[in-house]
Amino acid sequence: MAKEEIGTIIRQKRESLKISQEAVAFILNMSQAAYSKIERNETKLKVEQVYKIADYFGITIYELLPPALASDITGENIFGLLFNYIRIAWKKTKRIFKKKDTDIHEA
């Protein structure tokens, strides 16, 4: 079985979320062409970029990368993983309540 590369995983996740390459490139402050090279595994990612992409997708890096690679990059253990899941859940919950609060005030 071939080893799955980071760019391929990022592309699959981005496509499943129906996010454009341009949108991800924008949050990484790069051109769409440069971002496309990341997805084609022609350019290596910086650790900060991995975190930005995972945050933009609303997931942890553990969901974005193969488990062995994720732990190599972060050096985190199960407590780090748990913390990241709680952080993401908290952000999603805040967005939901913020939207509901906006809907209430508009009514």
Side-chain angles (χ1 to χ4, degrees):
M1 176 187 267
K3 181 177 132 182
E4 199 165 21
E5 296 190 48
I6 298 171
T8 305
I9 296 169
I10 291 171
R11 178 184 52 79
Q12 291 169 346
K13 187 65 178 172
R14 177 187 59 75
E15 288 175 347
S16 75
L17 294 169
K18 300 190 183 335
I19 297 172
S20 69
Q21 283 188 340
E22 291 82 3
V24 182
F26 180 79
I27 63 117
L28 294 177
N29 197 28
M30 64 174 53
S31 70
Q32 179 275 329
Y35 175 75
S36 178
K37 288 182 178 184
I38 291 171
E39 289 191 356
R40 292 192 315 261
N41 300 298
E42 295 174 6
T43 301
K44 294 191 180 206
L45 282 165
K46 297 177 184 171
V47 174
E48 313 86 59
Q49 292 173 318
V50 175
Y51 276 100
K52 280 184 178 182
I53 292 169
D55 188 52
Y56 185 66
F57 290 173
I59 60 175
T60 69
I61 63 167
Y62 295 97
E63 296 170 87
L64 190 59
L65 305 174
L69 185 55
S71 63
D72 286 349
I73 289 174
T74 64
E76 292 180 324
N77 57 25
I78 190 69
F79 297 110
L81 176 63
L82 181 61
F83 173 78
N84 279 322
Y85 277 115
I86 292 170
R87 183 179 61 84
I88 297 295
W90 177 250
K91 279 185 173 183
K92 288 180 179 179
T93 303
K94 283 177 31 180
R95 285 185 203 142
I96 290 169
F97 283 108
K98 190 174 189 178
K99 181 173 176 11
K100 286 183 179 179
D101 187 45
T102 303
D103 292 345
I104 290 170
H105 290 324
E106 290 177 356

